[in-house]
Amino acid sequence: DSATMGEKYDSLVKDPAKPLMDRAFQGVYPIGSTIKPAVAVAAMENGHYHLGETVNCVRVYNYFSSYKPKCMHTHGNIDLKNALAKSCNYFFFEMGRRVGATTVTKYFKDFGLGVKTGVEVNDSAGILIQPQNDNVGGTTLQIAIGQMNAFTPLQTANYVATLANGGTHYRASLIDKIVSYDISEVYKVIEPEVVNEIDIKDSIINAVKEGM
């Protein structure tokens, strides 16, 4: 009866596990190392890293006197492919510092991170901090390894799809077509909608894909 249904609904609402929450669209989670391919694209497209170059990972990143974060391991001389494969924080600390916080953040937005996806149901924009300049030291390093920012699983999936297709960022959509009640007539076909294009050279995309 309705009273029993109401009790069940109340228990779901009060459940600390939040079973009614749409985690894919509204759950906001730290992106972590999955951001590194976007940082790699930003570094190469802006001439701060060239394919074949290595960075010497000595574990402790000593560039800033006030903030010395660590990699999980000492990787030694490591190139982009292996830095992605092994998720070398030291390599991406260096890429973040070279590129700068404001440029890296612009690329995140171009990939659809920190903005609503355009999907037909309510979704979260996530958390994308807006650095005012590149000289933010430790903040830049943390941004470059996926800390401080947090996004929805849908945003993350759309970002990876944008990488996979070479830089075309599409609006997320749940609807393929709109049909009549008896499915006999198609009222409207939903065409893919391009939000923006990210200019990424084929050689850069291929290098990032190989590392991934």
Side-chain angles (χ1 to χ4, degrees):
D1 58 20
S2 60
T4 303
M5 291 296 292
E7 289 172 3
K8 288 182 178 179
Y9 182 76
D10 286 344
S11 69
L12 291 173
V13 169
K14 295 172 182 176
D15 188 331
K18 298 182 179 180
L20 297 179
M21 178 182 179
D22 188 338
R23 287 172 168 78
F25 296 170
Q26 296 175 342
V28 176
Y29 309 98
I31 193 168
S33 292
T34 54
I35 201 63
K36 290 173 179 175
V39 176
V41 168
M44 287 187 284
E45 280 294 339
N46 288 276
H48 296 294
Y49 176 81
H50 301 282
L51 289 175
E53 178 188 355
T54 60
V55 171
N56 186 20
C57 169
V58 295
R59 194 173 185 213
V60 180
Y61 191 76
N62 288 309
Y63 188 88
F64 298 108
S65 59
S66 60
Y67 181 64
K68 299 178 184 293
K70 295 179 180 179
C71 189
M72 292 177 289
H73 304 283
T74 302
H75 293 108
N77 288 317
I78 192 166
D79 62 3
L80 173 67
K81 174 184 174 181
N82 286 302
L84 284 170
K86 297 180 179 181
S87 197
C88 175
N89 283 346
Y90 190 104
F91 183 96
F92 286 97
F93 290 147
E94 178 65 9
M95 293 303 108
R97 182 193 64 79
R98 291 182 187 183
V99 177
T102 56
T103 298
V104 165
T105 299
K106 176 188 177 298
Y107 272 82
F108 294 172
K109 289 182 72 173
D110 286 347
F111 276 111
L113 298 168
V115 293
K116 292 204 171 194
T117 63
V119 73
E120 294 88 355
V121 296
N122 186 38
D123 67 335
S124 172
I127 299 168
L128 179 64
I129 66 169
Q130 300 294 327
Q132 299 304 306
N133 58 69
D134 289 331
N135 301 313
V136 288
T139 299
T140 302
L141 305 188
Q142 289 299 306
I143 289 172
I145 63 165
Q147 305 303 307
M148 306 188 78
N149 291 317
F151 309 115
T152 66
L154 178 61
Q155 286 174 317
T156 306
N158 207 11
Y159 143 57
V160 175
T162 301
L163 273 173
N165 68 36
T168 302
H169 171 210
Y170 289 98
R171 179 179 70 83
S173 177
L174 291 169
I175 301 172
D176 177 52
K177 56 182 176 287
I178 300 170
V179 300
S180 61
Y181 181 76
D182 61 0
I183 322 179
S184 64
E185 186 177 355
V186 176
Y187 294 140
K188 184 178 182 181
V189 174
I190 306 301
E191 298 294 339
E193 180 184 333
V194 176
V195 178
N196 61 282
E197 297 272 1
I198 307 171
D199 187 18
I200 313 174
K201 298 180 184 68
D202 288 345
S203 59
I204 291 174
I205 279 289
N206 291 337
V208 169
K209 286 181 180 179
E210 187 178 8
M212 293 173 73

mmCIF file of all heavy atoms in Angstrom, residues 57-60 70-76 86-90:
data_model
loop_
_atom_site.group_PDB
_atom_site.id
_atom_site.type_symbol
_atom_site.label_atom_id
_atom_site.label_comp_id
_atom_site.label_asym_id
_atom_site.label_seq_id
_atom_site.Cartn_x
_atom_site.Cartn_y
_atom_site.Cartn_z
ATOM 1 N N CYS A 57 63.118 11.211 -13.464
ATOM 2 C CA CYS A 57 62.320 11.108 -12.243
ATOM 3 C C CYS A 57 63.202 10.621 -11.101
ATOM 4 O O CYS A 57 63.618 9.462 -11.072
ATOM 5 C CB CYS A 57 61.142 10.155 -12.450
ATOM 6 S SG CYS A 57 60.283 9.710 -10.914
ATOM 7 N N VAL A 58 63.481 11.521 -10.159
ATOM 8 C CA VAL A 58 64.282 11.164 -8.977
ATOM 9 C C VAL A 58 63.383 11.065 -7.737
ATOM 10 O O VAL A 58 63.840 11.136 -6.616
ATOM 11 C CB VAL A 58 65.425 12.175 -8.754
ATOM 12 C CG1 VAL A 58 66.423 12.124 -9.897
ATOM 13 C CG2 VAL A 58 64.868 13.590 -8.584
ATOM 14 N N ARG A 59 62.117 10.912 -7.984
ATOM 15 C CA ARG A 59 61.037 10.755 -7.006
ATOM 16 C C ARG A 59 60.625 12.068 -6.356
ATOM 17 O O ARG A 59 59.479 12.445 -6.410
ATOM 18 C CB ARG A 59 61.369 9.726 -5.925
ATOM 19 C CG ARG A 59 60.094 9.342 -5.154
ATOM 20 C CD ARG A 59 60.280 8.213 -4.185
ATOM 21 N NE ARG A 59 58.996 7.857 -3.593
ATOM 22 C CZ ARG A 59 58.829 7.420 -2.372
ATOM 23 N NH1 ARG A 59 59.888 7.238 -1.579
ATOM 24 N NH2 ARG A 59 57.634 7.135 -1.915
ATOM 25 N N VAL A 60 61.548 12.799 -5.696
ATOM 26 C CA VAL A 60 61.180 14.050 -5.036
ATOM 27 C C VAL A 60 61.338 15.194 -6.032
ATOM 28 O O VAL A 60 62.420 15.404 -6.579
ATOM 29 C CB VAL A 60 62.049 14.319 -3.793
ATOM 30 C CG1 VAL A 60 61.643 15.642 -3.135
ATOM 31 C CG2 VAL A 60 61.923 13.172 -2.790
ATOM 32 N N LYS A 70 56.182 14.125 -4.034
ATOM 33 C CA LYS A 70 56.908 12.922 -4.429
ATOM 34 C C LYS A 70 56.133 12.103 -5.464
ATOM 35 O O LYS A 70 54.905 12.078 -5.464
ATOM 36 C CB LYS A 70 57.158 12.037 -3.204
ATOM 37 C CG LYS A 70 58.078 12.648 -2.162
ATOM 38 C CD LYS A 70 58.245 11.696 -0.982
ATOM 39 C CE LYS A 70 59.168 12.299 0.072
ATOM 40 N NZ LYS A 70 59.323 11.386 1.252
ATOM 41 N N CYS A 71 56.900 11.441 -6.294
ATOM 42 C CA CYS A 71 56.336 10.414 -7.154
ATOM 43 C C CYS A 71 56.204 9.133 -6.327
ATOM 44 O O CYS A 71 56.812 9.002 -5.257
ATOM 45 C CB CYS A 71 57.255 10.186 -8.360
ATOM 46 S SG CYS A 71 56.542 9.109 -9.637
ATOM 47 N N MET A 72 55.440 8.187 -6.805
ATOM 48 C CA MET A 72 55.285 6.932 -6.072
ATOM 49 C C MET A 72 56.539 6.070 -6.159
ATOM 50 O O MET A 72 56.785 5.232 -5.303
ATOM 51 C CB MET A 72 54.069 6.170 -6.596
ATOM 52 C CG MET A 72 52.740 6.852 -6.274
ATOM 53 S SD MET A 72 51.319 5.966 -6.977
ATOM 54 C CE MET A 72 51.538 6.324 -8.728
ATOM 55 N N HIS A 73 57.322 6.287 -7.230
ATOM 56 C CA HIS A 73 58.541 5.493 -7.437
ATOM 57 C C HIS A 73 59.632 6.400 -7.998
ATOM 58 O O HIS A 73 59.379 7.546 -8.389
ATOM 59 C CB HIS A 73 58.278 4.344 -8.411
ATOM 60 C CG HIS A 73 57.157 3.445 -8.001
ATOM 61 N ND1 HIS A 73 57.283 2.491 -7.022
ATOM 62 C CD2 HIS A 73 55.871 3.374 -8.445
ATOM 63 C CE1 HIS A 73 56.136 1.848 -6.872
ATOM 64 N NE2 HIS A 73 55.253 2.378 -7.714
ATOM 65 N N THR A 74 60.848 5.885 -8.071
ATOM 66 C CA THR A 74 61.940 6.556 -8.770
ATOM 67 C C THR A 74 62.063 5.895 -10.136
ATOM 68 O O THR A 74 62.558 4.772 -10.252
ATOM 69 C CB THR A 74 63.258 6.425 -7.988
ATOM 70 O OG1 THR A 74 63.081 6.981 -6.680
ATOM 71 C CG2 THR A 74 64.394 7.150 -8.711
ATOM 72 N N HIS A 75 61.606 6.586 -11.174
ATOM 73 C CA HIS A 75 61.546 5.981 -12.507
ATOM 74 C C HIS A 75 62.799 6.228 -13.344
ATOM 75 O O HIS A 75 62.976 5.602 -14.384
ATOM 76 C CB HIS A 75 60.329 6.509 -13.271
ATOM 77 C CG HIS A 75 59.027 6.080 -12.694
ATOM 78 N ND1 HIS A 75 58.182 6.943 -12.011
ATOM 79 C CD2 HIS A 75 58.406 4.866 -12.671
ATOM 80 C CE1 HIS A 75 57.103 6.293 -11.617
ATOM 81 N NE2 HIS A 75 57.214 5.031 -11.996
ATOM 82 N N GLY A 76 63.646 7.153 -12.927
ATOM 83 C CA GLY A 76 64.797 7.502 -13.753
ATOM 84 C C GLY A 76 64.363 8.232 -15.000
ATOM 85 O O GLY A 76 63.308 8.881 -15.025
ATOM 86 N N LYS A 86 53.150 4.168 -16.597
ATOM 87 C CA LYS A 86 53.512 3.957 -15.195
ATOM 88 C C LYS A 86 52.938 5.026 -14.275
ATOM 89 O O LYS A 86 53.163 4.997 -13.072
ATOM 90 C CB LYS A 86 55.032 3.903 -15.057
ATOM 91 C CG LYS A 86 55.656 2.730 -15.812
ATOM 92 C CD LYS A 86 57.169 2.695 -15.666
ATOM 93 C CE LYS A 86 57.751 1.502 -16.413
ATOM 94 N NZ LYS A 86 59.235 1.435 -16.271
ATOM 95 N N SER A 87 52.217 5.979 -14.868
ATOM 96 C CA SER A 87 51.596 7.068 -14.114
ATOM 97 C C SER A 87 52.625 7.806 -13.248
ATOM 98 O O SER A 87 52.436 7.992 -12.045
ATOM 99 C CB SER A 87 50.452 6.540 -13.238
ATOM 100 O OG SER A 87 49.631 7.596 -12.817
ATOM 101 N N CYS A 88 53.699 8.249 -13.894
ATOM 102 C CA CYS A 88 54.785 8.918 -13.179
ATOM 103 C C CYS A 88 54.377 10.342 -12.792
ATOM 104 O O CYS A 88 54.262 11.226 -13.643
ATOM 105 C CB CYS A 88 56.039 8.954 -14.044
ATOM 106 S SG CYS A 88 57.417 9.873 -13.318
ATOM 107 N N ASN A 89 54.180 10.572 -11.511
ATOM 108 C CA ASN A 89 53.809 11.910 -11.044
ATOM 109 C C ASN A 89 54.909 12.924 -11.319
ATOM 110 O O ASN A 89 54.626 14.082 -11.664
ATOM 111 C CB ASN A 89 53.497 11.883 -9.548
ATOM 112 C CG ASN A 89 52.137 11.293 -9.245
ATOM 113 O OD1 ASN A 89 51.304 11.124 -10.132
ATOM 114 N ND2 ASN A 89 51.918 10.952 -7.994
ATOM 115 N N TYR A 90 56.158 12.520 -11.154
ATOM 116 C CA TYR A 90 57.278 13.458 -11.350
ATOM 117 C C TYR A 90 57.237 14.033 -12.763
ATOM 118 O O TYR A 90 57.374 15.253 -12.951
ATOM 119 C CB TYR A 90 58.609 12.733 -11.114
ATOM 120 C CG TYR A 90 59.807 13.653 -11.049
ATOM 121 C CD1 TYR A 90 60.391 13.970 -9.826
ATOM 122 C CD2 TYR A 90 60.364 14.207 -12.203
ATOM 123 C CE1 TYR A 90 61.504 14.816 -9.761
ATOM 124 C CE2 TYR A 90 61.453 15.052 -12.146
ATOM 125 C CZ TYR A 90 62.021 15.348 -10.923
ATOM 126 O OH TYR A 90 63.103 16.202 -10.866
#
